[in-house]
Amino acid sequence: MHSTQYTTVFILALTSIVALVLAGMFTVLKPIHDANEAIYNKKEILAAVDPAAENMSDDEVAKIFSTKVKQYVLNAKGEVVDAKTANGLLLKAEEIKMDKERKKPEEERVYPLYIYENADGANYIVSVYGKGLWDAIWGSVALKSDFSTVAGVAFGHKGETPGLGAEIKDNAAFKKSFIGTKILNAEGEFVSVEVKKGGAKDRVHQVDAISAATVTCDGVTDMLKEGISVYLPYFESLKKGK
Amino acid sequence: MEYINIFIKAAFIENMVLAYFLGMCSYLAVSKTVKTAVGLGAAVIFVLGITMPINWVISTYLLEPSTNIISSLYGDQIDLTFLRFILFIAVIASTVQLVEMIIEKVSPTLYTSLGIFLPLITVNCAILGGSLFMVSREYDFGESVFFGFGSGFGFFLAIIAIAAIREKIRYSDVPPALRGLGMAFILTGLMGIAFMSLMGIDPANLTAGH
Amino acid sequence: MADTAQVKAKEGTFAFGKKEKQLLSDPLNDNNPITIQVLGICSALAVTTLLEKALVMAIAVIFVIAFANLFTSLLRKSIPKEVRMIVQLIIIAFLVTVVELTLKAANYPIFKELSVFIGLIITNCIVMGRLEAFAMANRPWRSFLDGIGNGLGYGFILLIIAFFRELFGKGSLLGFKIIGATPEYIINTTAGWGQTFFGWYANNNLMVLPASAMFIVGVIIWIQRSKYPRLVDAS
């Protein structure tokens, strides 16, 4: 048997050593973690236009982002603004956390917008965020410069069922089926793109749902409708400006 | 009402054992008879219900950079989330030990029936898993209490169900090599698939009907 | 079967004789952590949809269990008995955090995929079980080997499960297409868009669901015990 004093000292010593080592590791690795996270997010954004982005090297992604991608921060009215971070620095679009924005009152939210020029012309990439079956889902939608035709999409999710809901991220064919659909109808009104259970009838505004993943697919439909609508005032102002 | 929804969701729809397959070790080891299963299940409800709110307080006021006390003292955001695993498991282990001592003093009869399971619970993935889910789903304090009890109840249900089936199946003609453990695995897989039919039910929005 | 915990260290500290070899090979079959000791099932189910995830998990567990065994064995004489469990858990949680921080820096996408399951290595009963049954009573070198052996036995089963789940669930292994082909959208001018499979194999979604891992473990146990009837337990 050891005395209570010995036990206390032993536990305290062990915990302090362990905490110190971890604090050291954390401080050293933090910049790498942050850089990894930034690249990961950038890949998700680029993947909306080019699915091959997921296999690009980190340097390539960083290079495309710094040379070919312009990023803006929009407010709830669709105006480009210079938002500030908590530390008073200029907020970049890639630093916006969609989940944190959702917790703010609607008129205080800011939204990221990316313009990616590739061989096919300018792609306007918007970020959307919503709820799937289990947890959060999010995505990037690239629109062509008519602000209606979808050039591509990429989705992510926190914990959808593998093989079912998780297919929104993993199934290349599902993402590809969005290409060419339009978010505006013939009259120029916003109708969004619907993920339709039982097969899409209207190929311009609907895509086929993933079987047995109804709730996740409905989540995608709602997310697109809600998420893209906040960008409409901005697109209107660009159209007028032309 | 929202709290009750979280409870129902945690207990049935997002059942720790049958939807996430967490807490498998003790679930398989202690499900040979219904009687012992009830003991373990009760202990899990107890420990999950207690540790979840405690870990919530620790996570919110000690670890998260935007809300912790140290940040507000220094005025700068200090990220201590790397201590999460150590603190969570320390809370769980000490709660279990505390609970064990209290039960031993207060009710020796309960201790003899429950006591042997308590050390097992510390390394039950469902307990730590519950706390980690609570962090990643960003529950508030009240929600974490109901999530804790709900998950515990879900574990209770699952372990009693498998124990009852295992008691019955002893009289069936299972191939010798598959008897016991092998059959328990396959049964759990089937139960998991059965529970998938509850998937996607949102107790808050039952009228929507998909 | 002989409990490995009773192996007494008599030879030199770093000897590698028959006993040591047994420490590495026993957990692969006769004393396999998953199929015989029934430990560490949770992570076996969650991370085995893809071979790559299972491989990373297996390496992480081997690392944690080997070093947790080593550290516990080094400290075994000075750990106060009353707080034994908490001390062991602190050591394990420390190593798991090291793994998490390293993985987050080395391979971020895999880190994202594994999410909470890295943290759950702490409650992987194999680690705790080996500390209690072996490291508390044996010398550091042997404890270290015992840790590697059990980690290998665990990883071995994990890889078998992941092999079948990825092969039949995704038609690929380590991301390379093996059977069937990726379904593609093609443009058919008369019928509009349509999904077409360029192959004979449609992915089996059952294999992607966690429940399928239970079936595979069940079948592995069945095969193992049919081959080695001495492993059958009565209940």
Side-chain angles (χ1 to χ4, degrees), chain B residues 6-193:
Chain B
I6 287 197
F7 182 89
I8 292 175
K9 251 179 131 167
F12 299 101
I13 302 161
E14 302 182 359
N15 188 296
M16 265 310 174
V17 180
L18 297 172
Y20 286 109
F21 294 94
L22 291 181
M24 274 293 146
C25 310
S26 33
Y27 164 87
L28 287 167
V30 196
S31 60
K32 282 176 188 162
T33 60
V34 174
K35 211 179 148 210
T36 52
V38 170
L40 181 75
V44 167
I45 297 183
F46 207 66
V47 174
L48 255 174
I50 293 175
T51 54
M52 198 78 81
I54 300 180
N55 279 343
W56 184 88
V57 171
I58 287 193
S59 181
T60 314
Y61 294 111
L62 283 176
L63 302 176
E64 288 296 335
S66 51
T67 48
N68 75 32
I69 309 172
I70 304 144
S71 291
S72 56
L73 281 180
Y74 284 91
D76 205 7
Q77 296 215 340
I78 292 166
D79 191 348
L80 292 178
T81 44
F82 60 89
L83 291 175
R84 175 169 293 143
F85 293 156
I86 292 184
L87 286 181
F88 276 14
I89 199 70
V91 165
I92 293 170
S94 25
T95 311
V96 169
Q97 221 148 51
L98 209 69
V99 168
E100 201 178 345
M101 287 193 295
I102 292 172
I103 295 183
E104 197 180 2
K105 287 262 158 60
V106 176
S107 162
T109 33
L110 186 64
Y111 180 74
T112 41
S113 59
L114 214 77
I116 45 164
F117 302 118
L118 284 168
L120 258 179
I121 287 174
T122 315
V123 283
N124 185 327
C125 327
I127 312 276
L128 183 66
S131 286
L132 294 176
F133 277 135
M134 168 197 78
V135 172
S136 79
R137 290 182 192 166
E138 301 174 355
Y139 284 138
D140 65 25
F141 185 78
E143 287 171 338
S144 71
V145 174
F146 280 84
F147 180 65
F149 279 109
S151 310
F153 186 67
F155 185 90
F156 182 80
L157 275 184
I159 195 167
I160 290 180
I162 185 82
I165 298 176
R166 285 180 79 171
E167 273 191 10
K168 284 264 177 223
I169 211 159
R170 212 155 292 152
Y171 305 104
S172 311
D173 190 19
V174 177
L178 203 55
R179 255 171 224 167
L181 195 58
M183 207 55 209
F185 270 103
I186 291 173
L187 283 172
T188 311
L190 290 173
M191 284 164 75
I193 288 183

Side-chain angles (χ1 to χ4, degrees), chain C:
Chain C
M1 75 211 91
D3 190 358
T4 36
Q6 276 153 21
V7 178
K8 287 273 184 301
K10 278 180 198 147
E11 306 93 27
T13 334
F14 288 103
F16 196 84
K18 202 171 157 232
K19 288 264 166 61
E20 278 78 7
K21 212 178 264 171
Q22 210 178 6
L23 287 178
L24 285 179
S25 63
D26 238 22
L28 286 178
N29 185 27
D30 276 20
N31 206 10
N32 188 284
I34 293 188
T35 61
I36 307 294
Q37 304 178 52
V38 211
L39 300 174
I41 315 288
C42 314
S43 48
L45 304 166
V47 303
T48 48
T49 44
L50 296 174
L51 205 50
E52 192 187 6
K53 282 204 276 186
L55 200 62
V56 172
M57 191 64 170
I59 294 170
V61 169
I62 293 174
F63 170 83
V64 171
I65 189 171
F67 282 93
N69 257 1
L70 178 68
F71 291 152
T72 312
S73 175
L74 284 171
L75 291 172
R76 70 184 187 280
K77 294 204 176 95
S78 42
I79 295 177
K81 287 278 168 298
E82 313 80 57
V83 290
R84 193 175 78 242
M85 253 178 114
I86 294 186
V87 171
Q88 290 167 354
L89 282 169
I90 290 176
I91 294 174
I92 300 170
F94 161 69
L95 289 164
V96 171
T97 316
V98 168
V99 167
E100 196 206 18
L101 293 174
T102 316
L103 188 62
K104 199 173 171 186
N107 193 336
Y108 195 81
I110 284 275
F111 164 79
K112 276 280 202 186
E113 290 260 339
L114 291 175
S115 65
V116 294
F117 292 99
I118 304 170
L120 289 179
I121 301 177
I122 298 173
T123 46
N124 190 323
C125 339
I126 300 175
V127 188
M128 195 73 187
R130 287 334 284 171
L131 296 190
E132 215 24 46
F134 198 89
M136 288 301 283
N138 283 280
R139 290 202 181 163
W141 172 240
R142 288 205 162 168
S143 303
F144 187 71
L145 287 182
D146 176 77
I148 292 185
N150 275 281
L152 284 175
Y154 169 82
F156 174 60
I157 300 288
L158 220 59
L159 291 180
I160 294 182
I161 304 173
F163 176 84
F164 287 110
R165 287 184 75 183
E166 187 175 348
L167 186 63
F168 295 118
K170 302 257 178 200
S172 62
L173 284 176
L174 284 171
F176 295 107
K177 204 76 201 159
I178 303 286
I179 45 175
T182 326
E184 276 285 345
Y185 257 84
I186 53 153
I187 300 170
N188 179 325
T189 40
T190 48
W193 294 79
Q195 197 176 21
T196 308
F197 289 101
F198 294 123
W200 50 271
Y201 183 75
N203 290 342
N204 184 346
N205 260 352
L206 175 70
M207 282 294 161
V208 187
L209 298 174
S212 72
M214 302 299 288
F215 299 139
I216 297 175
V217 177
V219 172
I220 293 176
I221 293 178
W222 190 2
I223 295 171
Q224 193 189 21
R225 293 188 185 183
S226 310
K227 212 171 159 206
Y228 307 97
R230 67 194 141 91
L231 299 175
V232 175
D233 65 352
S235 58

Side-chain angles (χ1 to χ4, degrees), chain A residues 95-112:
Chain A
E95 289 162 358
I96 294 177
K97 301 251 184 329
M98 295 296 282
D99 52 338
K100 300 260 157 60
E101 293 301 319
R102 293 271 287 200
K103 287 186 183 148
K104 292 186 193 167
E106 219 163 294
E107 61 276 8
E108 282 174 29
R109 290 182 198 163
V110 288
Y111 302 94

